[in-house]
Each structure stands twice: as C-alpha cells, then as structure tokens.
C-alpha cells in the first residue's frame, strides 16, 4: 500500500485550525501513522515467514529426490539379487529345502553377533516414529537384505516389502541427521519408506499412501508429503532404468456398478477383510505362542525350519516357497489354481515368519487374495480375473490396516477405470478387519 498518499489524503481532508481541534487532529494523524507502520512491519514479517515455509518445502523436495535416487540403487541391488536367487532355487528344485533349518541358525547367529537391535526390523521403524527410540543403525539395511536372501535361497515362504521399506527408512533416517527442521526425522523416514516401496514394486502412488498411513492407522502424515512424493516417483523411475518394473495385469471389462453388483462387492469386501484380519491376528499370536514355547531362538528357528521344510515339500513340492509370484501370475493367466492354494500359502507364510526367518508379508498377501478370488468367483457369478484383482488389493489392505494404499495399488496394477470397485471392496475390508495389523506396533486412531 502507498502510505504517503494515504497520509496526504487524510491531512487534506482535515481543517487546519488552531486550538484543541487541531491538537486532536494531529494526535489522530499520529495514531494513523503508527497504525500504518505497524501494519507494514506485520506484512513484512508474514512475507518473511512465507518465504521461509516455501524455502523449507523446496528443500524437502530436493532432499526427497536425493533420497529416492539413493534408495532406488539399494532396491535394485536387493531386487536383482532376489530375482537371481528365486530363479536359481526354482532351477534346483526342492533340494534347497534341506538347508532351511541350518539357514535359520545362520540368520540367528548373524543378528546375535552383529545385527543386535537390527533384528527388530519394521518394529524399530515404528519405535522411532513413536519416540521410543531415536536411532536406526545403518547396518540394519544390509543385515535385512542378506537374511532375506538366505530365507528365499533355501525356500522359505516370505515376502520382500518389509526389507524394501526398512532399506528406505534406514537410508533416509541417516540422511535426516544432517537437517534440523520440525519433525525432520519422521518426515525423512516416511519419504524413505515410500521410496523403498516404490523402488521395488514400481508403484509410486501406492508407496506414497502406504508410507503416509501405515505408521498410524486412521491418520495421514501430511507434513511428509513434500518429501515423500518426489522420493517415491524418483525411486520408481531410477529403479525402472535398471529393469525393476511393476507387474500389470488385464482383467477385462466389468459391468456397471448397479445394485446387484454392489451387494456382491459388499459380501466380497467382508470376506476379504476377514481373511486379511485373520492373517494379521494369526501371525501375531503364532509368533507369541512359538516364542513362549521355544524360548531359545536357535532351537526355535531350527525346529520350525524342519517343520516348514517338510510341509513345503509335502504340500505342493515347493509350490508355496518364495514370495508367491507363481500364484499371482497363475491367477491372472488362467493357470491352474487349486482351492487350497490360498490356505497353504496363508499357513506356511505365518510359520516361516513366526520361526524367525526374515522377509515380508505383502507379496504373500497378494498371492493369498488373488488365488482366493479365483476360487470364489464362480459362486458370485463374476469374472475370476476381476474377483482375483479385488482380493489382491483388499486382503493386503485388511492385513496392513490401511485404506488408501490398497485402492491405489489396484489402480496402478489393474487400471484406473476400476476405481469404484476397488473403493467399495477395500472400504468394506478396512472396516471389518477389526483393527488387526501385521505390524504389531502400529498405532490406531479411528473415530
């Protein structure tokens, strides 16, 4: 504003008389002058604060790009190594199962002597977010990578996303030590988790939502968006340059969302939500039960390793080893899917992880949901590929106690035109999962 012009106008409108009126008039002009001066200072202060906020946002964006690139390189090493291991084990057949119990001993020995606190894995990430811990050791990333490679090399039934997110959280947490702005630790950690998920799975939008909502169910960490968005898209792009691409499947046309289909989707959402919640519930209680019955971690992983190896060989001859990619691909390529596939993958994944082997749960959840969808589709008179896609997303969402991420992964993997169907089923699954989560330390804020 033009203070001088305003002041001149005020003076010209006032009669210049001597006496009391003139004194009162002068006091008013002084007051107006002070008011304008105060407003000018306030305006400059607000402008300065605005520039400070925007500078911080720009800094977070550049940091996100850097974090995404670094995490992506790590994910490429992990992902390519895992691909080679899975191909080698498939070529060797079930003979590798003979070494599973001894591989378990090696994993426990590795963490006992050098890994130590790193054995907490995602639990440590949740503890940092909740303020229970302020340190993620840099060695957690390589220890988790190696132990997961060992698990898959010898045929354990486990996933990979846990390691991907731990790599991202470790790298970004270490990077965040050099920046000191509000909540910088958590912001960088969320960005690293998003980059880790996106770098391995190639689904940046899903990765952003998952990282924002997984730490505290029922709320989103919006402050981390300016860092998580560039980190996720950068990681997905960089990893794609090295050959890590997302899986995509075609499920064909679907009828319009009418009353009849809505009722079917409602029932499917309830079913998939219960299965996802049951998986999380069973994993938590099986881990506690086994740990209570066999307190020595060496005995526990060795004995459970023998049991898992026998079951993997007897039921399917290694059909249920690894991440479950064979069941996912089979569900969407009209290969033979048995009615018990999802049950055995369900049970063997829980036993593998409860024994102490390392890995994740998300990809096995994709396999469980998609194979279950193929089996129950005829009951509802729906396309098996369509129902498999719904199970793929909603079982994952129910088990992780997340809502937006499963919808996003459905759209990124199967197509954005199916959004209404994914929304309905994932919403119902999220509601009925009874707040169960595969992440034991996940906080819940639902109103």
């Amino acid at each position: 504003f033009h203070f001088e012009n305003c002041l001149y106008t005020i003076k010209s409108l006032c009669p210049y008389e001597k006496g009391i009126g003139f004194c009162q008039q002068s006091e008013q002009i002084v007051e107006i002058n002070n008011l304008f001066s105060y407003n000018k200072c306030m305006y400059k202060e607000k402008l300065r604060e605005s520039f400070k906020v925007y500078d911080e946002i720009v800094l977070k964006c550049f940091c996100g790009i850097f974090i995404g690139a670094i995490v992506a390189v790590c994910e490429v090493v992990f992902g390519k190594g895992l691909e080679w291991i899975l191909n080698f084990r498939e070529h060797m057949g079930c003979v590798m199962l003979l070494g599973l119990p001894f591989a378990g001993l090696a994993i426990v020995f590795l963490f006992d002597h050098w890994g130590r606190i790193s054995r907490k894995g995602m639990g440590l990430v949740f503890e940092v977010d909740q303020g229970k811990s302020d340190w993620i050791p840099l060695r957690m990333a390589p220890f988790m990578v190696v132990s997961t490679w060992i698990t898959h090399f010898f045929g354990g039934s486990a996933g990979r996303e846990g390691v991907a997110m731990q790599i991202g959280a470790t790298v970004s947490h270490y990077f965040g030590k050099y920046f000191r702005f509000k909540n910088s630790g958590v912001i960088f950690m969320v960005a690293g988790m998003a980059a880790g998920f996106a770098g391995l799975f190639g689904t940046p939008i899903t990765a952003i939502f998952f990282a924002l909502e997984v730490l505290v169910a029922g709320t989103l960490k919006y402050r981390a968006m300016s860092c998580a968005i560039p980190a996720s898209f950068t990681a997905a792009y960089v990893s794609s340059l090295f050959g890590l691409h997302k899986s995509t499947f075609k499920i064909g046309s679907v009828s319009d969302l009418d009353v009849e289909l809505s009722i079917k989707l409602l029932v499917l959402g309830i079913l998939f939500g219960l299965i996802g919640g049951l998986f999380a519930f069973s994993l938590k209680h099986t881990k506690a039960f086994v740990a209570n019955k066999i307190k020595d971690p060496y005995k526990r992983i060795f004995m459970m390793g023998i049991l898992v190896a026998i079951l993997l060989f007897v039921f399917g001859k290694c059909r249920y080893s690894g991440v479950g990619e064979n069941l996912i691909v089979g569900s969407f390529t009209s290969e033979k899917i048995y009615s018990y596939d999802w049950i055995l993958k369900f049970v063997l994944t829980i036993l593998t992880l409860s024994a102490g082997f390392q890995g994740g749960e998300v990809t096995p959840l994709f396999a469980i949901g998609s194979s279950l969808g193929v089996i129950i589709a005829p009951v509802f008179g729906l396309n098996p590929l369509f129902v498999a896609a719904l199970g793929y997303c909603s079982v994952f969402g129910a088990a992780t106690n997340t809502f937006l991420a499963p919808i996003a992964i459905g759209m990124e993997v199967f197509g954005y035109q199916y959004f209404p169907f994914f929304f309905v089923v994932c919403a119902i699954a999220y509601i009925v999962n009874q707040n169960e989560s595969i992440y034991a330390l996940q906080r819940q804020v639902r109103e």
Side-chain angles (χ1 to χ4, degrees), residues 224-259:
M225 286 181 65
S226 57
C227 192
I229 291 174
S232 182
F233 279 96
T234 300
Y237 174 73
V238 173
S239 62
S240 68
L241 296 178
F242 293 91
L244 289 184
H245 302 284
K246 69 177 179 181
S247 300
T248 57
F249 303 100
K250 294 182 179 180
I251 59 178
S253 60
V254 182
S255 61
D256 294 334
L257 188 61
D258 54 17
V259 176

Side-chain angles (χ1 to χ4, degrees), residues 54-67:
Y54 289 125
D55 286 344
E56 188 175 290
I57 292 174
V58 172
L59 176 62
K60 290 177 184 177
C61 288
F62 278 108
C63 289
I65 293 172
F66 183 79
I67 290 171

Side-chain angles (χ1 to χ4, degrees), residues 435-446:
N435 283 339
E436 295 293 341
S437 175
I438 57 176
Y439 305 113
L441 295 182
Q442 182 187 63
R443 288 190 294 141
Q444 296 164 1
V445 180
R446 285 193 181 183

Side-chain angles (χ1 to χ4, degrees), residues 18-29:
K18 294 183 180 180
I20 297 176
F22 178 80
C23 294
Q24 291 176 345
Q25 187 173 285
S26 300
E27 291 176 359
Q28 292 173 355
I29 292 174

Side-chain angles (χ1 to χ4, degrees), residues 292-312:
N292 184 53
K293 291 296 181 180
I294 312 175
K295 299 186 182 299
D296 187 335
Y298 288 95
K299 291 181 180 179
R300 179 166 64 246
I301 203 166
F302 186 78
M303 295 172 65
M304 290 289 291
I306 294 174
L307 174 63
V308 171
I310 293 173
L311 293 177
L312 284 169

Side-chain angles (χ1 to χ4, degrees), residues 16-83:
Y16 286 88
E17 298 179 0
K18 294 183 180 180
I20 297 176
F22 178 80
C23 294
Q24 291 176 345
Q25 187 173 285
S26 300
E27 291 176 359
Q28 292 173 355
I29 292 174
V30 170
E31 289 177 1
I32 293 172
N33 184 21
N34 292 336
L35 178 62
F36 274 105
S37 299
Y38 175 76
N39 287 337
K40 286 175 69 177
C41 293
M42 289 293 295
Y43 180 76
K44 290 180 180 180
E45 185 65 26
K46 289 181 179 180
L47 197 61
R48 192 179 297 110
E49 289 294 327
S50 297
F51 277 119
K52 184 179 179 182
V53 170
Y54 289 125
D55 286 344
E56 188 175 290
I57 292 174
V58 172
L59 176 62
K60 290 177 184 177
C61 288
F62 278 108
C63 289
I65 293 172
F66 183 79
I67 290 171
I70 298 299
V71 171
V73 174
C74 298
E75 297 297 340
V76 168
V77 175
F78 170 62
K80 288 296 183 180
L82 188 59
E83 285 181 6

